[in-house]
């Protein structure tokens, strides 16, 4: 058994998790509730084992480094963080309805990582610039932020869906609008703090590698744009009392910016972060 | 006066914040699409003459330091400063407010209230002690409604948002300090050579260091697949010709000296070679630069040497054929691996020889006294964000009115995290119902 097999299995287990959560939501299959959670926890454990094994394998190859260094590894970690965060939210807010809106992100991420021909799955050694203790701190903080924004976008979509369709019996089972709004906000606050930490660790790293903490390279600039979008969202809520639909839309717009920062910049623009694109 | 307050209002408004943040975000996109800091010719070729001129007028090729972008950043700073000055006193008033001067009416309208009639005379004290134990700050006052015990916690958390705003200003201040009192430059030092100046990044103007840096050695290590593994330079700092510091630098591990930092950033290979001879008797060494297939002489030692041939794998030299001769001996010709010492004693020469391709190390040199401020700002931002989002100003009042019976009015409020406060409030009430009966 090697790490790519485990991570391949993870893709299908997340697909199955998605189906279970959608079944709970659409068919009111209450008997499946515990099974969905249990299955997702197991899937997360398999993925954790896969990531850990990939780390071990890199040491066996003599080029040991944390599995957070290229597009493939980052997408895998992104999926991992989304599931971990979702399970925490499920446990904290005692609702499984969010699953159908959050778990698919993890499945899509894993499917992209496994089946895309644009990205290489091989474990490759680190170029000198990436050999730093800041690597783990920077990548982990950024991706916790990204994952939180993904979940917030799922919640935003859920809010809009429920808000638009009025007295649909299917959507009645979703948490009350006020609750969805509250969780969306909290998730965005959580993401904002981690994104801030991600930008800061990136700046400190850049300064220790190149002597410039900020060079306006496209990745940096886009992360700042994303940061501004969420800063605006939080200000609109605190000072103007925005909530509901408008915040839900901002959660979606913010996530588009996240996706562009994470993915679009690597493939459409050039810059210092080019290691991420293969 | 009216004018002044209009201007003040404008600069403290959330609308201005929304405008500047949106404007900075939207205009920033330009610089991520149009490559920055290229020559005029590049833009002409890429976008055509007219667009290139248009770019030049608007400073697009260097937009992040253009007058209009800096103006936007300035507006953001002014907005942050004015709105903080505008709002901070109100927040601070909430922190320092005498919490015991509230009327019964006000307390009854609080978000969380609970009334206990015919309470035991010690109940208020029990509550007070429980709160004290939980770290609450207590103030007490006799009023016309009875005795008010006011407890509060984390009042200063109201300053969190101002800490975040201030942290952004501190980071900007750091950037300004760096701009005016620091520099960024680069220099290429060939192995065995030294320099006492570097060249400014944008203008290429020479900048005197005030000391000398020598590159003793540059090395590239490769992975098996041919990817570069590490670039290493051995740098020696010299003050007035005296060696004061020797350090091996790598990417991510720079050399710091007198407020300046030297970063490993690039390299250049030469067609020249370095031949190092180490005496087997006194271990003294001497290094010679040998251009490919040229003889060089060690003056006064009667030794002539040269590189006859070299084998390269891609762009790196993997084996070299070195030729050494002194008048007493036959000429020696040996194949050597880079940097591996070979003894020449069998051939009658009391030396070991080692050979490598000659490189120049490319260094980025930065002096930025503003970095400290930037880091302080970053730290403040994280602390401020944590306080602003996760800590709340919690207040609980106990109004004890003693008439025919002792009645307690317990009221509470929080500015954030209602769920958390609710839990604390109910736990507090539960603790007394337990002790009460």
């Amino acid at each position: 058994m090697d790490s790519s097999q485990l991570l391949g299995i993870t893709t299908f287990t997340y697909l199955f998790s998605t189906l279970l959560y959608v079944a709970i939501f659409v068919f009111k299959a209450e008997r499946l509730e515990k099974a969905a959670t249990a299955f997702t926890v197991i899937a997360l454990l398999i993925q954790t084992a896969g990531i850990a094994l990939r780390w071990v394998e890199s040491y066996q190859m003599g080029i040991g480094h944390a599995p957070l260094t290229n597009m493939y590894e980052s997408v895998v970690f992104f999926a991992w963080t989304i599931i971990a965060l979702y399970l925490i939210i499920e446990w904290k807010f005692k609702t499984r309805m969010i699953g159908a809106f959050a778990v698919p992100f993890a499945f899509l991420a894993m499917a992209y990582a496994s089946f895309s021909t644009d990205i290489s799955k091989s474990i490759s050694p680190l170029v000198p610039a990436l050999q730093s203790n800041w690597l783990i701190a920077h990548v982990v903080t950024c991706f916790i932020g990204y994952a939180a924004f993904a979940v917030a976008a799922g919640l935003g979509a859920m809010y809009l869906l429920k808000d638009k369709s009025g007295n649909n019996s299917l959507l009645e089972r979703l948490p009350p609008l006020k609750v969805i709004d509250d969780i969306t906000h909290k998730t965005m606050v959580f993401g904002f703090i981690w994104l801030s930490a991600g930008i800061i660790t990136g700046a400190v790293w850049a300064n220790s590698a190149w002597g410039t903490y900020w060079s306006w390279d496209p990745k940096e600039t886009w992360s700042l744009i994303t940061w501004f979008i969420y800063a605006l969202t939080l200000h609109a809520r605190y000072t103007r009392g925005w909530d509901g639909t408008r915040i839900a839309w901002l959660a979606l717009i913010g996530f588009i910016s996240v996706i562009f920062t994470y993915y679009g910049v690597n493939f459409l623009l050039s810059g210092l972060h080019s290691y991420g694109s293969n | 006066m009216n004018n002044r307050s209009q201007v003040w209002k404008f600069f403290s408004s959330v609308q201005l914040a929304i405008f500047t943040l949106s404007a900075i975000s939207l205009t920033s996109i330009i610089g991520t699409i149009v490559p920055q800091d290229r020559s005029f010719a590049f833009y002409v070729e890429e976008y055509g003459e007219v667009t290139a001129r248009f770019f030049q007028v608007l400073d697009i090729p260097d937009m992040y330091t253009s007058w209009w972008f800096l103006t936007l950043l300035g507006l953001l700073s002014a907005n942050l400063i004015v709105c903080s000055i505008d709002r901070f006193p109100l927040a601070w008033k909430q922190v320092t407010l005498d919490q015991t001067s509230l009327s019964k009416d006000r307390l009854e309208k609080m978000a969380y209230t609970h009334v206990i009639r015919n309470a035991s005379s010690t109940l208020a004290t029990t509550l007070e002690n429980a709160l004290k134990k939980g770290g609450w700050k207590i103030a007490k006052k006799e009023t016309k409604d009875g005795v008010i015990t006011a407890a509060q916690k984390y009042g200063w958390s109201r300053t969190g948002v101002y800490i975040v705003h201030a942290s952004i200003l501190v980071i900007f201040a750091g950037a300004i300090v760096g701009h005016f009192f620091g520099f960024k430059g680069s220099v290429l030092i060939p192995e065995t050579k030294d320099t006492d100046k570097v060249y400014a990044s944008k203008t290429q103007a020479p900048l005197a260091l005030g000391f000398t840096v020598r590159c003793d050695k540059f090395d590239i290590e490769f992975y098996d697949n041919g990817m570069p593994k590490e670039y290493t330079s051995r740098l020696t700092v010299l003050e007035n010709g005296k060696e004061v510091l020797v350090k091996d630098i790598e990417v991510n591990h720079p050399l710091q000296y007198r407020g300046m930092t030297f970063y490993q950033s690039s390299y250049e290979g030469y067609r020249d070679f370095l031949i190092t001879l180490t005496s087997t008797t006194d271990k003294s060494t001497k290094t010679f630069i040998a251009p490919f297939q040229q003889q060089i002489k060690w003056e006064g030692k009667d030794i002539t040497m040269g590189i006859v041939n070299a084998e390269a794998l891609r762009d790196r030299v993997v084996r070299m054929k070195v030729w050494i001769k002194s008048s007493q001996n036959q000429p020696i010709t040996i194949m050597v691996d880079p940097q591996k010492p070979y003894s020449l004693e069998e051939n009658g020469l009391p030396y070991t020889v080692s050979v490598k391709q000659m490189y120049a190390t490319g260094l980025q040199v930065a002096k930025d006294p503003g970095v400290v401020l930037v880091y302080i700002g970053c730290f403040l931002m994280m602390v401020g964000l944590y306080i602003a989002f996760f800590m709340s100003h919690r207040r609980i009042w106990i109004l004890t009115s003693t008439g025919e019976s002792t009645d307690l009015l317990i009221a509470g409020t929080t500015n954030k995290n209602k769920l958390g406060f609710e839990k604390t409030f109910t736990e507090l009430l539960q603790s007394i119902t337990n002790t009460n009966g």
Side-chain angles (χ1 to χ4, degrees):
Chain A
M1 189 67 92
D2 64 19
S3 67
S4 54
Q5 276 172 301
L6 282 176
L7 294 172
I9 293 170
T10 310
T11 312
F12 293 101
T13 46
Y14 285 157
L15 171 63
F16 197 62
S17 285
T18 304
L19 295 177
L20 283 174
Y21 279 110
V22 170
I24 294 171
F25 169 52
V26 177
F27 305 113
K28 307 183 182 176
E30 276 162 33
R31 280 172 307 153
L32 291 177
E33 290 209 346
K34 287 227 164 72
T37 306
F39 195 78
T40 310
V41 170
I42 292 168
L44 182 70
L45 291 176
I46 295 174
Q47 196 188 9
T48 311
I51 294 172
L53 193 57
R54 193 176 166 95
W55 202 334
V56 172
E57 283 165 4
S58 77
Y59 273 92
Q60 286 164 348
M61 291 166 69
I63 50 172
H65 58 76
L68 301 167
T69 59
N70 58 20
M71 192 43 123
Y72 173 77
E73 290 174 338
S74 77
V75 174
V76 168
F77 184 66
F78 182 48
W80 186 90
T81 325
I82 289 172
I83 294 296
L85 199 66
Y86 164 70
L87 286 172
I88 292 170
I89 290 174
E90 180 184 301
W91 169 69
K92 239 193 123 167
F93 294 94
K94 313 260 176 301
T95 169
R96 288 190 173 86
M97 291 303 131
I98 301 167
F101 295 84
V103 179
F105 282 115
F107 162 64
L108 289 175
M110 284 310 292
Y112 174 72
S114 304
F115 303 122
S116 168
T117 49
D118 299 342
I119 55 178
S120 152
K121 283 186 240 177
S122 64
I123 302 178
S124 49
L126 287 186
V127 296
L130 291 183
Q131 296 168 23
S132 165
N133 292 331
W134 287 102
L135 170 76
I136 295 180
H138 176 56
V139 176
V140 168
T141 47
C142 284
F143 276 90
I144 294 177
Y146 290 177
F149 293 140
V151 175
L155 287 158
M158 185 170 162
Y159 186 99
L160 293 174
L161 197 66
K162 177 154 178 155
D163 190 50
K164 285 268 145 59
S165 38
N167 291 336
N168 186 322
S169 69
L170 179 66
L171 300 168
E172 235 167 59
R173 300 188 67 238
L174 291 177
L177 286 175
K178 260 192 117 86
V179 174
I180 306 177
D181 180 58
D182 182 56
I183 306 178
T184 312
H185 169 67
K186 283 181 174 150
T187 314
M188 277 199 274
V189 164
F190 183 79
F192 185 69
I193 289 180
W194 285 99
L195 177 65
S196 309
I199 294 174
I200 289 173
T201 48
V204 175
W205 184 8
N207 190 52
S208 71
W210 299 303
T212 321
Y213 49 82
W214 194 263
S215 41
W216 293 106
D217 102 297
K219 195 84 158 186
E220 287 172 352
T221 308
W222 271 98
S223 71
L224 189 69
I225 292 169
T226 305
W227 194 81
F228 278 166
I229 291 174
Y230 287 102
L232 275 173
T233 307
L234 296 174
H235 279 84
R237 191 180 183 94
Y238 284 121
T239 64
R240 299 276 118 172
W242 281 28
D243 58 1
T245 324
R246 287 189 282 199
I247 295 292
W249 275 112
L250 283 168
L252 288 172
I253 293 168
F255 187 58
I256 292 171
S257 180
V258 168
I259 290 297
F260 195 80
T261 306
Y262 171 24
Y263 185 82
V265 170
N266 286 11
F267 287 93
L268 303 176
L269 309 169
S270 62
L272 296 170
H273 272 83
S274 53
Y275 351 95
S277 50
N278 44 50
Chain B
M1 191 64 208
N2 197 26
N3 266 346
R4 189 183 162 265
S5 71
Q6 285 289 327
V7 172
W8 185 264
K9 235 182 169 168
F10 169 74
F11 275 108
S12 68
S13 65
V14 180
Q15 281 91 332
L16 180 65
I18 291 174
F19 166 76
T20 41
L21 287 180
S22 311
I24 293 171
S25 303
L26 290 174
T27 54
S28 290
I29 297 174
I30 301 170
T32 66
I33 297 166
V34 179
Q36 297 287 293
D37 284 326
R38 303 288 182 88
S39 68
F40 182 68
F42 170 84
Y43 296 104
V44 171
E45 188 170 324
E46 204 70 5
Y47 302 94
E49 175 100 29
V50 179
T51 319
R53 291 218 178 279
F54 177 70
F55 279 179
Q56 218 177 17
V57 171
L58 290 179
D59 270 346
I60 300 288
D62 198 5
M63 67 151 283
Y64 299 109
T65 54
S66 69
W67 61 271
W68 55 268
F69 195 75
L70 293 179
T71 306
L72 285 176
L73 293 179
L75 263 181
L76 180 66
S77 313
N79 186 216
L80 280 171
I81 294 170
V82 176
C83 104
S84 297
I85 294 176
D86 203 47
R87 289 156 178 254
F88 186 76
L90 272 170
W92 189 244
K93 216 168 141 192
Q94 290 282 335
V95 179
T96 53
L97 192 71
D98 177 12
Q99 306 288 354
T100 58
S101 59
L102 272 80
S103 67
K104 192 177 176 186
D105 286 359
R106 285 279 305 278
L107 293 184
E108 278 168 341
K109 283 186 197 122
M110 289 292 169
Y112 304 91
T113 52
H114 186 78
V115 179
I116 303 173
R117 306 223 174 268
N118 295 319
S120 78
S121 56
T122 55
L123 188 58
T125 326
T126 316
L127 271 172
E128 194 187 316
N129 288 336
L131 287 167
K132 251 187 209 158
K133 227 170 137 189
W136 294 68
K137 235 170 54 194
I138 312 274
K140 246 165 136 172
K141 198 161 96 184
E142 192 119 13
T143 67
K144 63 176 172 41
D145 300 322
V147 178
I148 287 195
T149 309
Q152 59 172 332
K153 216 174 180 179
Y154 308 132
W156 50 267
S157 73
R158 287 180 185 272
T159 60
V161 60
Y162 301 98
I163 297 176
V164 176
H165 286 176
S167 76
I168 295 171
L169 294 171
V170 173
I171 292 172
F172 281 178
I176 292 169
V177 168
H179 181 76
F180 285 107
F181 301 102
F183 67 81
K184 299 248 177 324
S186 61
V187 66
L188 200 65
I189 317 176
E191 283 176 292
T192 72
K193 308 281 188 201
D194 58 35
T195 181
D196 56 5
K197 54 181 179 289
V198 298
Y199 301 90
S201 294
K202 287 214 165 155
T203 59
Q204 295 302 314
L207 302 161
L209 290 172
F211 54 89
T212 306
V213 179
R214 187 177 66 213
C215 173
D216 296 323
K217 203 171 137 187
F218 175 82
D219 254 330
I220 318 173
E221 250 184 280
F222 292 90
Y223 292 108
D224 296 339
N225 69 359
M227 268 172 70
K229 183 178 185 181
E230 196 57 86
Y231 308 117
T232 315
S233 299
R234 174 161 298 166
L235 300 182
T236 301
V237 177
L238 302 122
E239 295 257 21
N240 305 318
K242 268 218 253 101
E243 294 184 8
V244 288
L245 183 67
V246 181
K247 191 180 164 160
D248 288 337
I249 67 162
E250 292 172 357
V251 184
N252 279 308
H253 299 281
L255 159 77
Q256 276 174 319
Y257 188 72
R258 283 221 255 154
M260 281 169 239
T261 316
F262 296 79
Y263 301 87
Q264 180 68 61
S265 82
S266 63
Y267 69 93
E268 224 176 83
Y270 291 114
R271 271 174 65 85
D272 298 352
F273 294 82
L274 291 176
I275 304 176
T276 304
L277 291 177
T278 307
S279 156
T280 45
T281 49
D282 61 2
K283 299 287 169 211
S284 63
T285 70
K286 190 154 172 70
T287 301
F288 304 86
I289 300 172
F292 190 49
Q293 293 178 337
Q294 278 183 38
Q295 278 190 25
I296 46 163
K297 266 203 170 96
W298 187 351
E299 297 299 335
K301 284 275 184 181
D302 179 34
I303 292 177
T304 318
M305 63 200 122
I307 301 297
V308 183
N309 216 339
E311 286 170 22
L313 184 68
R314 268 165 270 166
D315 57 348
R316 74 184 143 124
V317 173
V318 287
R319 255 150 76 87
M320 292 145 292
K321 192 181 239 177
V322 54
W323 173 92
I324 300 176
K325 181 182 174 297
S326 73
S327 56
Q328 283 99 41
N329 300 79
Q330 287 289 317
I332 312 158
T333 310
I334 46 171
M335 289 298 287
V336 297
D337 293 338
Q339 303 201 58
K340 228 177 172 178
Y342 290 86
S343 173
L344 300 174
E345 280 181 302
E346 286 178 21
N347 308 87
L349 276 174
Y351 293 101
T352 56
V353 64
S354 89
V355 186
K356 73 186 280 289
Q357 187 188 356
M358 183 170 166
Y359 288 97
T361 183
L363 305 175
Q364 294 271 13
V365 185
K367 181 184 170 185
D368 192 345
V371 165
V372 183
L373 276 174
V374 173
Y375 284 5
I376 292 173
C378 290
F379 178 74
L380 277 180
M381 180 179 286
M382 291 317 295
V383 172
L385 285 174
Y386 180 82
I387 294 172
F389 289 125
F390 295 129
M391 302 186 84
S392 47
H393 186 192
R394 301 169 167 204
R395 287 172 288 176
I396 289 177
W397 293 268
I398 307 158
L399 176 65
T400 321
S401 36
T402 35
E404 288 150 37
S405 68
T406 305
D407 292 344
L408 292 193
L409 167 64
I410 305 166
T413 185
T414 178
N415 65 335
K416 262 174 286 168
N417 189 11
K418 302 214 160 52
L419 241 69
F421 182 75
E422 210 170 292
K423 209 171 144 217
T424 316
F425 195 74
T426 9
E427 274 169 9
L428 183 74
L429 294 177
Q430 264 164 9
S431 76
I432 49 169
T433 39
N434 290 345
T435 51
N436 232 16

